[in-house]
Amino acid sequence: MSENQDKPVEIDLSTPDADQPGAAPAGAAPEKAAEPPAPPTSEERIATLEAEKADVRDRMLRIAADFDNYKKRARKDQSDGEARAKESVLRDFLEIADNLERATTSWKGDQDGKEADAKSIRDGVELVLRQFRSKLERYQVKVIESVGLPFDPRFHEAISQAPSAEAKPGSVLHELQKGYLIGEKLLRPAMVVVAAAAPAPAAKPAEAAQAADKPEADKPTAGKPEGED
């Protein structure tokens, strides 16, 4: 073997090869750090604020339009609900009007120069009245009981007072118009006459009565004393 083959090859790793890709050339200055972006100018800030303002205004207009549409729908739903409730109530009471019309038509048809039977008319009216009360009960409308009970300003409206020896003072003596409740709420107060204490009979004094009943001859007269001429 030759002498050059036995000698080891030395490689210098301290200095990068200038020919390698990406290697900085010898003697080049080190790179500087990236500078922060420049602050926006006044015009740029104004333009950004104007864009945000337009976006907020557009959103507010949409919300206002949606709320206005909601109010219109709510009013329409409420009006439709009230109309349906009225229709349901009136449809029931139309049956009562129908029965009254049938009664009057039958009464006119049965008249042939004779007066109608009072009992049959009364029975027909009572039948219609019972039907009317059943319709009221369907809607939780109840009659307020008044006669004989103590006067209650929550349910009674006093029209006058009348003395009575039988009724207790402060109680309802007569009922002029019935009152009604719908559920637990007052629908109409009852118009009543309230009983008052009967006045005591006027008694004359005993002496005055005796003096009025005494004869004139027994009364003493003014004159001379007895035994004097």
Side-chain angles (χ1 to χ4, degrees):
M1 267 186 176
S2 64
E3 185 178 357
N4 293 334
Q5 291 177 347
D6 296 337
K7 187 177 179 180
V9 179
E10 295 181 0
I11 300 175
D12 187 5
L13 301 178
S14 61
T15 303
D17 190 357
D19 296 336
Q20 291 182 357
E31 294 183 359
K32 296 181 180 180
E35 296 181 357
T41 62
S42 301
E43 290 78 6
E44 292 175 346
R45 288 199 298 270
I46 291 173
T48 302
L49 293 175
E50 288 292 340
E52 293 178 356
K53 175 184 174 183
D55 182 62
V56 171
R57 183 174 182 274
D58 182 66
R59 289 203 301 268
M60 294 299 295
L61 290 175
R62 291 178 182 274
I63 293 173
D66 292 341
F67 183 66
D68 187 60
N69 293 333
Y70 164 75
K71 289 194 297 183
K72 291 179 180 178
R73 289 194 304 270
R75 283 195 296 265
K76 185 177 184 302
D77 293 343
Q78 182 180 5
S79 177
D80 293 344
E82 291 176 354
R84 286 192 296 269
K86 291 178 181 178
E87 290 174 2
S88 176
V89 174
L90 295 176
R91 191 177 297 112
D92 281 343
F93 284 94
L94 286 177
E95 297 179 10
I96 300 173
D98 294 339
N99 289 335
L100 290 174
E101 289 179 356
R102 293 190 190 99
T104 55
T105 303
S106 174
W107 178 71
K108 291 178 181 178
D110 291 342
Q111 274 191 323
D112 51 353
K114 298 184 299 182
E115 293 186 358
D117 185 6
K119 185 178 183 303
S120 62
I121 296 176
R122 179 177 178 178
D123 292 342
V125 173
E126 289 181 349
L127 177 63
V128 175
L129 184 59
R130 286 195 298 270
Q131 184 185 16
F132 179 76
R133 287 174 177 168
S134 68
K135 298 293 184 183
L136 290 178
E137 291 176 359
R138 179 181 300 180
Y139 295 99
Q140 298 181 347
V141 178
K142 300 177 293 184
V143 178
I144 298 175
E145 300 296 335
S146 302
V147 178
L149 298 178
F151 175 79
D152 191 341
R154 297 176 300 170
F155 307 114
H156 303 146
E157 181 179 350
I159 302 301
S160 63
Q161 282 187 324
S164 174
E166 299 177 356
K168 185 179 179 181
S171 63
V172 176
L173 183 61
H174 301 296
E175 185 179 56
L176 304 179
Q177 181 177 277
K178 290 185 177 297
Y180 292 92
L181 294 171
I182 178 168
E184 299 299 327
K185 184 179 178 181
L186 179 66
L187 182 62
R188 186 182 74 180
M191 299 174 63
V192 298
V193 176
V194 182
K204 296 181 180 181
E207 296 179 357
Q210 291 177 1
D213 296 338
K214 189 174 183 181
E216 293 292 336
D218 296 339
K219 293 182 180 179
T221 56
K224 296 181 180 180
E226 294 181 358
E228 185 177 345
D229 295 333

PDB file of all heavy atoms in Angstrom, residues 76-91:
ATOM      1  N   LYS A  76    -103.702  40.374  15.966  1.00  0.00           N
ATOM      2  CA  LYS A  76    -104.626  39.595  15.131  1.00  0.00           C
ATOM      3  C   LYS A  76    -105.051  38.315  15.843  1.00  0.00           C
ATOM      4  O   LYS A  76    -106.229  37.934  15.816  1.00  0.00           O
ATOM      5  CB  LYS A  76    -103.975  39.254  13.794  1.00  0.00           C
ATOM      6  CG  LYS A  76    -104.897  38.559  12.808  1.00  0.00           C
ATOM      7  CD  LYS A  76    -104.210  38.320  11.486  1.00  0.00           C
ATOM      8  CE  LYS A  76    -105.182  37.707  10.489  1.00  0.00           C
ATOM      9  NZ  LYS A  76    -105.761  36.442  10.934  1.00  0.00           N
ATOM     10  N   ASP A  77    -104.098  37.633  16.504  1.00  0.00           N
ATOM     11  CA  ASP A  77    -104.442  36.416  17.247  1.00  0.00           C
ATOM     12  C   ASP A  77    -105.406  36.724  18.378  1.00  0.00           C
ATOM     13  O   ASP A  77    -106.353  35.963  18.624  1.00  0.00           O
ATOM     14  CB  ASP A  77    -103.173  35.756  17.790  1.00  0.00           C
ATOM     15  CG  ASP A  77    -102.281  35.218  16.683  1.00  0.00           C
ATOM     16  OD1 ASP A  77    -102.782  35.059  15.544  1.00  0.00           O
ATOM     17  OD2 ASP A  77    -101.085  34.979  16.933  1.00  0.00           O
ATOM     18  N   GLN A  78    -105.172  37.842  19.087  1.00  0.00           N
ATOM     19  CA  GLN A  78    -106.077  38.212  20.172  1.00  0.00           C
ATOM     20  C   GLN A  78    -107.469  38.535  19.640  1.00  0.00           C
ATOM     21  O   GLN A  78    -108.479  38.116  20.210  1.00  0.00           O
ATOM     22  CB  GLN A  78    -105.515  39.414  20.929  1.00  0.00           C
ATOM     23  CG  GLN A  78    -106.376  39.847  22.115  1.00  0.00           C
ATOM     24  CD  GLN A  78    -105.790  41.043  22.832  1.00  0.00           C
ATOM     25  OE1 GLN A  78    -104.785  41.610  22.405  1.00  0.00           O
ATOM     26  NE2 GLN A  78    -106.417  41.445  23.918  1.00  0.00           N
ATOM     27  N   SER A  79    -107.529  39.275  18.532  1.00  0.00           N
ATOM     28  CA  SER A  79    -108.832  39.617  17.956  1.00  0.00           C
ATOM     29  C   SER A  79    -109.563  38.365  17.475  1.00  0.00           C
ATOM     30  O   SER A  79    -110.776  38.220  17.694  1.00  0.00           O
ATOM     31  CB  SER A  79    -108.635  40.595  16.796  1.00  0.00           C
ATOM     32  OG  SER A  79    -109.863  40.895  16.170  1.00  0.00           O
ATOM     33  N   ASP A  80    -108.833  37.445  16.864  1.00  0.00           N
ATOM     34  CA  ASP A  80    -109.470  36.194  16.409  1.00  0.00           C
ATOM     35  C   ASP A  80    -109.956  35.368  17.593  1.00  0.00           C
ATOM     36  O   ASP A  80    -111.046  34.771  17.541  1.00  0.00           O
ATOM     37  CB  ASP A  80    -108.477  35.384  15.570  1.00  0.00           C
ATOM     38  CG  ASP A  80    -108.139  36.069  14.252  1.00  0.00           C
ATOM     39  OD1 ASP A  80    -108.883  36.996  13.859  1.00  0.00           O
ATOM     40  OD2 ASP A  80    -107.130  35.689  13.633  1.00  0.00           O
ATOM     41  N   GLY A  81    -109.166  35.330  18.687  1.00  0.00           N
ATOM     42  CA  GLY A  81    -109.600  34.577  19.852  1.00  0.00           C
ATOM     43  C   GLY A  81    -110.851  35.160  20.488  1.00  0.00           C
ATOM     44  O   GLY A  81    -111.763  34.420  20.882  1.00  0.00           O
ATOM     45  N   GLU A  82    -110.907  36.494  20.582  1.00  0.00           N
ATOM     46  CA  GLU A  82    -112.107  37.125  21.138  1.00  0.00           C
ATOM     47  C   GLU A  82    -113.318  36.868  20.247  1.00  0.00           C
ATOM     48  O   GLU A  82    -114.423  36.629  20.754  1.00  0.00           O
ATOM     49  CB  GLU A  82    -111.874  38.630  21.285  1.00  0.00           C
ATOM     50  CG  GLU A  82    -110.855  38.989  22.363  1.00  0.00           C
ATOM     51  CD  GLU A  82    -110.584  40.477  22.411  1.00  0.00           C
ATOM     52  OE1 GLU A  82    -111.115  41.202  21.528  1.00  0.00           O
ATOM     53  OE2 GLU A  82    -109.858  40.923  23.315  1.00  0.00           O
ATOM     54  N   ALA A  83    -113.125  36.926  18.934  1.00  0.00           N
ATOM     55  CA  ALA A  83    -114.250  36.676  18.027  1.00  0.00           C
ATOM     56  C   ALA A  83    -114.755  35.241  18.160  1.00  0.00           C
ATOM     57  O   ALA A  83    -115.966  34.992  18.176  1.00  0.00           O
ATOM     58  CB  ALA A  83    -113.819  36.957  16.586  1.00  0.00           C
ATOM     59  N   ARG A  84    -113.820  34.278  18.291  1.00  0.00           N
ATOM     60  CA  ARG A  84    -114.244  32.883  18.452  1.00  0.00           C
ATOM     61  C   ARG A  84    -114.995  32.683  19.760  1.00  0.00           C
ATOM     62  O   ARG A  84    -115.987  31.941  19.811  1.00  0.00           O
ATOM     63  CB  ARG A  84    -113.025  31.962  18.382  1.00  0.00           C
ATOM     64  CG  ARG A  84    -112.460  31.792  16.981  1.00  0.00           C
ATOM     65  CD  ARG A  84    -111.460  30.650  16.949  1.00  0.00           C
ATOM     66  NE  ARG A  84    -110.305  30.924  17.783  1.00  0.00           N
ATOM     67  CZ  ARG A  84    -109.198  31.512  17.359  1.00  0.00           C
ATOM     68  NH1 ARG A  84    -109.107  31.914  16.099  1.00  0.00           N
ATOM     69  NH2 ARG A  84    -108.177  31.718  18.169  1.00  0.00           N
ATOM     70  N   ALA A  85    -114.526  33.345  20.840  1.00  0.00           N
ATOM     71  CA  ALA A  85    -115.222  33.219  22.131  1.00  0.00           C
ATOM     72  C   ALA A  85    -116.630  33.811  22.046  1.00  0.00           C
ATOM     73  O   ALA A  85    -117.592  33.219  22.543  1.00  0.00           O
ATOM     74  CB  ALA A  85    -114.415  33.914  23.222  1.00  0.00           C
ATOM     75  N   LYS A  86    -116.759  34.965  21.410  1.00  0.00           N
ATOM     76  CA  LYS A  86    -118.082  35.572  21.267  1.00  0.00           C
ATOM     77  C   LYS A  86    -118.996  34.698  20.410  1.00  0.00           C
ATOM     78  O   LYS A  86    -120.180  34.535  20.716  1.00  0.00           O
ATOM     79  CB  LYS A  86    -117.951  36.961  20.646  1.00  0.00           C
ATOM     80  CG  LYS A  86    -117.297  37.989  21.548  1.00  0.00           C
ATOM     81  CD  LYS A  86    -117.159  39.320  20.843  1.00  0.00           C
ATOM     82  CE  LYS A  86    -116.477  40.355  21.723  1.00  0.00           C
ATOM     83  NZ  LYS A  86    -116.300  41.650  21.012  1.00  0.00           N
ATOM     84  N   GLU A  87    -118.461  34.145  19.353  1.00  0.00           N
ATOM     85  CA  GLU A  87    -119.270  33.288  18.491  1.00  0.00           C
ATOM     86  C   GLU A  87    -119.789  32.079  19.255  1.00  0.00           C
ATOM     87  O   GLU A  87    -120.945  31.680  19.105  1.00  0.00           O
ATOM     88  CB  GLU A  87    -118.441  32.843  17.287  1.00  0.00           C
ATOM     89  CG  GLU A  87    -118.140  33.950  16.290  1.00  0.00           C
ATOM     90  CD  GLU A  87    -117.206  33.493  15.194  1.00  0.00           C
ATOM     91  OE1 GLU A  87    -116.827  32.289  15.212  1.00  0.00           O
ATOM     92  OE2 GLU A  87    -116.843  34.306  14.339  1.00  0.00           O
ATOM     93  N   SER A  88    -118.919  31.491  20.085  1.00  0.00           N
ATOM     94  CA  SER A  88    -119.340  30.309  20.835  1.00  0.00           C
ATOM     95  C   SER A  88    -120.466  30.648  21.808  1.00  0.00           C
ATOM     96  O   SER A  88    -121.455  29.918  21.916  1.00  0.00           O
ATOM     97  CB  SER A  88    -118.137  29.736  21.591  1.00  0.00           C
ATOM     98  OG  SER A  88    -118.515  28.659  22.403  1.00  0.00           O
ATOM     99  N   VAL A  89    -120.330  31.785  22.518  1.00  0.00           N
ATOM    100  CA  VAL A  89    -121.362  32.174  23.487  1.00  0.00           C
ATOM    101  C   VAL A  89    -122.669  32.528  22.775  1.00  0.00           C
ATOM    102  O   VAL A  89    -123.756  32.058  23.153  1.00  0.00           O
ATOM    103  CB  VAL A  89    -120.865  33.349  24.350  1.00  0.00           C
ATOM    104  CG1 VAL A  89    -121.979  33.855  25.245  1.00  0.00           C
ATOM    105  CG2 VAL A  89    -119.663  32.932  25.191  1.00  0.00           C
ATOM    106  N   LEU A  90    -122.574  33.341  21.754  1.00  0.00           N
ATOM    107  CA  LEU A  90    -123.788  33.782  21.056  1.00  0.00           C
ATOM    108  C   LEU A  90    -124.478  32.623  20.351  1.00  0.00           C
ATOM    109  O   LEU A  90    -125.711  32.597  20.248  1.00  0.00           O
ATOM    110  CB  LEU A  90    -123.435  34.880  20.055  1.00  0.00           C
ATOM    111  CG  LEU A  90    -122.923  36.182  20.683  1.00  0.00           C
ATOM    112  CD1 LEU A  90    -122.500  37.165  19.597  1.00  0.00           C
ATOM    113  CD2 LEU A  90    -123.990  36.808  21.563  1.00  0.00           C
ATOM    114  N   ARG A  91    -123.702  31.661  19.883  1.00  0.00           N
ATOM    115  CA  ARG A  91    -124.324  30.502  19.217  1.00  0.00           C
ATOM    116  C   ARG A  91    -125.192  29.728  20.198  1.00  0.00           C
ATOM    117  O   ARG A  91    -126.267  29.228  19.837  1.00  0.00           O
ATOM    118  CB  ARG A  91    -123.232  29.603  18.628  1.00  0.00           C
ATOM    119  CG  ARG A  91    -123.776  28.526  17.695  1.00  0.00           C
ATOM    120  CD  ARG A  91    -122.658  27.707  17.092  1.00  0.00           C
ATOM    121  NE  ARG A  91    -121.789  28.514  16.266  1.00  0.00           N
ATOM    122  CZ  ARG A  91    -120.516  28.804  16.560  1.00  0.00           C
ATOM    123  NH1 ARG A  91    -119.975  28.350  17.697  1.00  0.00           N
ATOM    124  NH2 ARG A  91    -119.785  29.536  15.760  1.00  0.00           N
TER     125      ARG A  91
END
